[in-house]
């Protein structure tokens, strides 16, 4: 009987000892696996939070600066209304006319007023962009989207932003000499401070034509139903080849942005410092200077998107009115069922459902099936 009890006690002891050793073995085995998985978990968390932040009221940037002459309320008021309809928070930034820029503030080449490239309008646009970036530097603003006074966007722009942000991360984070299908090593992933990543200086998001793929040729493509129909893409300044852009309702994200027009550019703080220095010696309009900076300065990292995310609103109002031009906000009637609405008179280039034109419909609670399609 005593021997039987002894055997039972020994069996229990051995079982307990096995459990203790097994548990320690599991913990020792599992911990390295958990440690190695941590970067992937961090990346998953970052992607989830980035998707939410790029759909916030500033589209994932710290600020959105709207460059606009303070006296041109015919341009400001429709844009402010469009921003409200799109749930976007913009910061008015007073633009400047070239004739009002002090001589000692002008880039030296612009002192030659006989050059047609140095007109008052072109100098004013250049200095307005430059002043916005100087404000970023002074106020330590990490990222800002800078849009011009005639900018427009699709009412559904927030739907475009998550995949755009993913594309910017993919393009800007890859090693310089990596092949297009490079498999990124995320074993040491550290979450960026911006949902667009931290390895870019400028994102060229609003233009009137572009040439993707002139750098390494890497292009990130994603489906986007807010893209205008192919024949309505705003591309008089250039466009990708059919091989680069074969499908409808797709956008391309690419490095070494080379575009024309500057309706919307996003700049990081480190990018603002570099670009202000570049523009201080400018001898061309601001968009041409951006091309030079993006394509000839290896220290300035630019990412572009095609088709343009931001378009241009065209109306009878001109930034420098000639004799007979109107600076009054012009409206026209638009009937939708029982509703008679006053909508802005004009049209949008490169945008499918213009935020400016459709604001009265959106604010009246009318659905997408009633919206006015531009592209």
């Amino acid at each position: 009987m005593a021997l039987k009890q002894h055997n039972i006690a020994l069996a229990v002891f051995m079982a307990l000892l096995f459990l203790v050793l097994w548990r320690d073995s599991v913990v020792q085995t599992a911990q390295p696996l958990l440690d190695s998985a941590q970067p992937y978990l961090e990346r998953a968390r970052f992607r989830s939070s980035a998707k939410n932040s790029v759909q916030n009221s500033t589209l994932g940037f710290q600020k959105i600066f709207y460059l606009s002459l303070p006296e041109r309320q015919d341009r400001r008021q429709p844009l402010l209304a469009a921003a409200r309809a799109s749930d976007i928070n913009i910061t008015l930034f007073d633009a400047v006319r070239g004739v009002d820029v002090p001589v000692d503030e002008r880039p030296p080449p612009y002192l030659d007023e006989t050059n047609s490239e140095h007109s008052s309008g072109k100098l004013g646009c250049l200095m307005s962009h430059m002043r916005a970036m100087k404000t970023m530097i002074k106020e330590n603003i990490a990222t800002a989207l800078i849009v011009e006074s005639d900018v427009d966007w699709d009412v559904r722009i927030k739907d475009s932003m998550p995949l755009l942000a993913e594309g910017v991360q993919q393009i800007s984070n890859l090693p310089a000499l990596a092949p297009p299908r490079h498999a990124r090593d995320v074993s040491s992933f550290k979450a960026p401070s911006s949902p667009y990543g931290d390895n870019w200086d400028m994102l060229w998001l609003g233009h009137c034509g572009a040439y993707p793929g002139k750098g390494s040729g890497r292009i990130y493509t994603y489906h986007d139903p807010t893209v205008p129909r192919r024949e309505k893409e705003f591309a008089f300044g250039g466009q990708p080849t059919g091989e680069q852009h074969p499908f409808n309702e797709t956008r391309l994200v690419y490095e070494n942005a080379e575009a024309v027009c500057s309706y919307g550019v996003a700049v990081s703080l480190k990018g603002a410092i570099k670009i202000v220095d570049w523009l201080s010696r400018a001898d061309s309009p601001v968009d041409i200077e951006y091309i030079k900076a993006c394509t000839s300065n290896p220290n300035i990292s630019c990412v572009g998107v095609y088709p343009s995310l931001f378009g241009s609103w065209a109306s009878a109002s001109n930034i420098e009115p000639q004799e007979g031009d109107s600076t009054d906000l012009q409206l026209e009637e638009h009937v939708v069922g029982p509703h008679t609405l006053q909508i802005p008179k004009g049209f949008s280039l490169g945008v499918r459902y213009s935020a400016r034109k459709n604001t009265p419909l959106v604010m009246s609670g009318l659905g997408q099936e009633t919206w006015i399609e531009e592209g």
Side-chain angles (χ1 to χ4, degrees):
M1 182 67 175
L3 180 60
K4 184 177 181 181
Q5 290 177 339
H6 172 76
N7 290 340
I8 292 174
L10 181 61
V12 170
F13 171 77
M14 294 300 293
L16 291 174
L17 180 61
F18 171 78
L19 289 173
V20 170
L21 294 175
W22 177 79
R23 183 200 63 186
D24 290 344
S25 173
V26 168
V27 170
Q28 291 172 8
T29 303
Q31 193 59 49
L33 291 175
L34 290 173
D35 291 342
S36 64
Q38 195 62 33
Y40 295 89
L41 296 174
E42 288 291 337
R43 180 166 178 78
R45 280 193 287 266
F46 168 70
R47 293 182 67 178
S48 177
S49 65
K51 180 177 180 179
N52 293 329
S53 60
V54 297
Q55 293 181 311
N56 67 13
S57 63
T58 54
L59 303 178
F61 304 103
Q62 189 173 338
K63 290 274 189 179
I64 299 179
F65 288 128
Y66 172 54
L67 307 182
S68 170
L69 294 168
E71 68 271 22
R72 294 304 301 271
Q73 294 300 313
D74 58 312
R75 288 187 169 228
R76 281 192 172 188
Q77 293 308 315
L79 195 282
L80 289 171
R84 286 193 296 272
S86 307
D87 190 27
I88 291 176
N89 180 23
I90 63 174
T91 299
L92 290 175
F93 191 95
D94 287 347
V96 62
R97 295 185 185 277
V99 294
D100 298 326
V101 177
V103 172
D104 60 358
E105 194 178 333
R106 302 179 185 187
Y110 270 85
L111 297 176
D112 176 14
E113 297 181 356
T114 62
N115 188 330
S116 62
E117 291 296 291
H118 301 160
S119 67
S120 174
K122 291 173 182 176
L123 174 60
C125 184
L126 173 79
M127 294 307 301
S128 298
H129 278 250
M130 198 169 172
R131 287 181 175 185
M133 292 185 210
K134 286 184 175 180
T135 297
M136 289 181 65
I137 298 168
K138 180 180 179 181
E139 298 182 7
N140 198 35
I141 296 171
T143 58
L145 173 62
I146 302 170
V147 295
E148 295 180 347
S149 66
D150 55 347
V151 73
D152 198 5
W153 56 80
D154 194 289
V155 176
R156 307 161 296 166
I157 189 171
K158 289 189 176 183
D159 295 340
S160 301
M161 306 312 290
L163 285 175
L164 170 66
E166 177 68 20
V168 172
Q169 293 170 43
Q170 293 284 343
I171 291 297
S172 64
N173 288 344
L174 287 173
L177 299 178
R181 297 187 180 276
H182 172 77
R184 189 190 329 281
D185 176 16
V186 298
S187 60
S188 58
F189 177 77
K190 180 181 178 182
S193 57
S194 164
Y196 298 92
D198 294 332
N199 296 329
W200 54 273
D201 295 313
M202 189 180 89
L203 309 180
W204 205 328
L205 305 179
H207 53 75
C208 54
Y211 300 92
K214 283 201 170 182
S216 67
R218 295 196 302 263
I219 295 178
Y220 178 94
T221 304
Y222 66 94
H223 175 249
D224 185 349
T226 73
V227 171
R229 296 190 302 273
R230 184 62 61 95
E231 67 273 14
K232 293 289 187 176
E233 290 176 1
F234 196 14
F236 78 80
Q239 61 190 106
T241 65
E243 182 178 333
Q244 291 172 326
H245 187 40
F247 305 112
N248 293 325
E249 294 191 346
T250 56
R251 289 195 198 276
L252 315 180
V253 183
Y254 52 92
E255 64 176 352
N256 276 10
E258 183 174 347
V260 182
C261 307
S262 49
Y263 304 126
V265 294
V267 184
S268 66
L269 180 56
K270 63 184 179 66
I273 294 170
K274 299 174 190 177
I275 295 171
V276 164
D277 178 67
W278 181 278
L279 294 181
S280 67
R281 299 180 293 278
D283 64 358
S284 304
V286 68
D287 58 338
I288 305 302
E289 290 298 331
Y290 285 156
I291 292 175
K292 295 177 185 177
C294 290
T295 59
S296 65
N297 189 329
N299 296 318
I300 298 179
S301 174
C302 303
V303 178
V305 60
Y306 184 92
S308 176
L309 194 66
F310 294 92
S312 173
W313 175 255
S315 70
S317 164
N318 193 291
I319 193 65
E320 293 190 29
Q322 308 298 312
E323 185 177 355
D325 285 351
S326 172
T327 58
D328 295 329
L329 176 59
Q330 298 184 19
L331 302 172
E332 60 185 357
E333 282 192 356
H334 179 69
V335 178
V336 183
H339 305 275
T340 300
L341 305 172
Q342 296 291 317
I343 64 173
K345 189 175 182 179
F347 58 93
S348 192
L349 297 168
V351 175
R352 192 160 191 171
Y353 290 107
S354 161
R356 287 177 180 260
K357 175 155 279 191
N358 284 291
T359 286
L361 287 77
V362 173
M363 299 304 283
S364 297
L366 298 174
Q368 182 175 332
E369 70 278 1
T370 70
W371 295 352
I372 302 166
E373 186 173 0
E374 298 279 345

